[in-house]
């Protein structure tokens, strides 16, 4: 699922972009969720309260808050979200560069260019996913991988443990591990019931890992060699014996 925001003070423009995205999403078989905003300040407020997007289509010249100023604030909360500017004016090259815009589309929108940039963005997002997406009680959720300390499987439920608490999902730990590996994201499988984020490991010994919050997890005997090799590959250190 791609979470997308469209921000432009022209209703016809936002409607047109939304229709093009939905058409392309059907064409290339990707799920999308789209939010519409008509000024930069409302978008910024939404993001400042915790909303996370994969892609933002952003107009530059808007009355309440222009797209460049909005992007500067957005970057304080999210340095990685892809921003595609859609505007009638091309005199903001320096400002656009400063906020790391992904692409720039001029109005009126060229459909072929729009399609190319959308596919480029989709490929960039899926190449290095930033969020773990899951369903619980038939509701879709997402959480940043950088916030996940570890996954813990307990019977039919998998707990996603962060510094602020835990959330539940029903996906099997083996499936989660497979998805992570396919996306090039490395977690330590220290035990049949645990997948641990290396970012939160403070101390690693041959048979245990200690996390930054003091939690100590056992590395099961049949997984020690693989965990050791992955630890050394990520840290560039010699194998622990």
């Amino acid at each position: 699922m791609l979470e997308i925001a469209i921000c432009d003070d022209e209703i016809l423009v936002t409607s047109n972009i939304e229709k093009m995205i939905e058409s392309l999403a059907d064409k290339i078989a990707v799920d999308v969720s789209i939010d519409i905003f008509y000024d930069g300040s409302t978008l910024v407020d939404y993001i400042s309260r915790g909303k996370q997007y994969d892609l933002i289509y952003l107009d530059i010249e808007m009355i309440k808050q222009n797209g460049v100023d909005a992007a500067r604030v957005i970057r304080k909360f999210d340095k990685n979200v892809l921003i595609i500017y859609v505007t009638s004016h091309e005199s903001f090259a320096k400002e656009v560069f400063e906020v790391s815009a992904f692409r720039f589309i001029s109005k009126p929108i060229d459909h072929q260019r729009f399609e190319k940039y959308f596919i480029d963005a989709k490929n960039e997002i899926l190449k290095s996913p930033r969020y773990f997406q899951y369903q619980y009680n038939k509701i879709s959720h997402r959480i940043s991988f950088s916030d996940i300390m570890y996954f813990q499987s307990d019977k039919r439920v998998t707990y996603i443990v962060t510094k602020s608490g835990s959330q539940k999902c029903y996906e099997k730990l083996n499936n989660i591990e497979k998805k992570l590996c396919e996306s090039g994201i490395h977690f330590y499988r220290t035990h049949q019931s645990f997948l641990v984020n290396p970012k939160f490991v403070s101390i690693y010994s041959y048979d245990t890992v200690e996390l930054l919050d003091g939690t100590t997890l056992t590395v099961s005997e049949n997984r020690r060699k693989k965990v050791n090799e992955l630890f050394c590959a990520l840290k560039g250190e010699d194998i622990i014996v």
Side-chain angles (χ1 to χ4, degrees):
M1 172 76 75
L2 300 185
E3 295 278 354
I4 300 172
I6 303 169
C7 185
D8 195 303
D9 56 5
E10 297 181 61
I11 295 176
L12 290 178
V13 172
T14 59
S15 178
N16 185 33
I17 293 174
E18 183 179 25
K19 288 177 181 177
M20 286 192 290
I21 292 172
E22 291 174 342
S23 176
L24 284 170
D26 288 339
K27 181 178 178 180
I28 64 176
V30 61
D31 292 327
V32 296
S33 174
I34 303 171
D35 290 334
I36 306 293
F37 302 89
Y38 297 107
D39 63 80
S41 61
T42 306
L43 170 63
V44 166
D45 180 65
Y46 209 52
I47 291 174
S48 70
R49 288 187 281 114
K51 179 63 179 182
Q52 298 169 315
Y53 291 105
D54 297 300
L55 175 62
I56 299 173
Y57 287 89
L58 186 59
D59 185 24
I60 289 183
E61 291 201 338
M62 294 180 287
I63 295 174
K64 195 169 182 180
Q65 184 178 41
N66 69 56
V68 174
D69 289 342
R72 288 191 178 118
V73 181
I74 289 168
R75 285 298 182 219
K76 295 179 181 178
F77 296 98
D78 191 337
K79 297 187 183 303
N80 299 306
V81 59
L82 300 187
I83 297 175
I84 295 180
Y85 276 114
V86 186
T87 182
S88 303
H89 303 273
E90 301 184 9
S91 57
F92 295 86
K94 181 181 178 181
E95 291 85 350
V96 169
F97 177 78
E98 288 175 355
V99 294
S100 304
F102 181 71
R103 295 288 188 273
F104 187 101
I105 299 177
S106 298
K107 299 176 184 178
I109 297 172
D110 178 88
H111 284 240
Q112 288 187 332
R113 178 168 294 183
F114 187 94
E115 178 173 344
K116 180 183 185 307
Y117 288 174
F118 178 80
I119 293 173
D120 287 346
K122 183 266 297 182
N123 290 339
E124 182 71 17
I125 293 163
L126 297 184
K127 179 179 70 176
S128 302
R130 296 187 295 134
Y131 303 103
F132 176 67
Q133 303 189 55
Y134 63 99
Q135 284 199 333
Y136 185 70
N137 288 339
K138 298 182 180 179
I139 299 174
S140 295
H141 302 269
R142 57 162 38 191
I143 183 169
S144 173
F145 282 116
S146 63
D147 292 333
I148 299 173
M149 296 176 63
Y150 58 89
F151 296 91
Q152 179 180 0
S153 175
D154 183 9
K155 298 178 181 177
R156 295 178 57 194
V157 177
T158 294
Y159 293 88
I160 307 162
V161 182
T162 69
K163 289 186 292 184
S164 59
S166 64
Q167 302 174 42
K168 297 178 181 179
C169 73
Y170 287 119
E171 190 159 3
K172 293 181 179 179
L173 207 59
N174 286 343
N175 292 341
I176 294 174
E177 183 180 28
K178 181 180 178 182
K179 288 181 180 179
L180 294 179
C181 290
E182 290 174 347
S183 299
I185 299 171
H186 300 290
F187 273 50
Y188 300 137
R189 186 69 181 268
T190 60
H191 185 278
Q192 181 63 26
S193 299
F194 290 94
L195 266 175
V196 182
N197 189 342
K199 170 185 173 182
F200 290 96
V201 175
S202 61
I203 300 174
Y204 169 63
S205 63
Y206 189 62
D207 57 359
T208 62
V209 292
E210 183 176 325
L211 307 187
L212 294 174
D213 68 346
T215 300
T216 299
L217 302 174
T218 299
V219 182
S220 59
E221 185 174 357
N222 64 327
R223 298 181 184 275
R224 289 173 187 169
K225 184 175 184 294
K226 188 171 182 179
V227 171
N228 200 350
E229 289 173 348
L230 179 56
F231 173 85
C232 296
L234 296 177
K235 299 295 184 180
E237 300 178 6
D238 294 331
I239 291 178
I240 297 173
V241 295

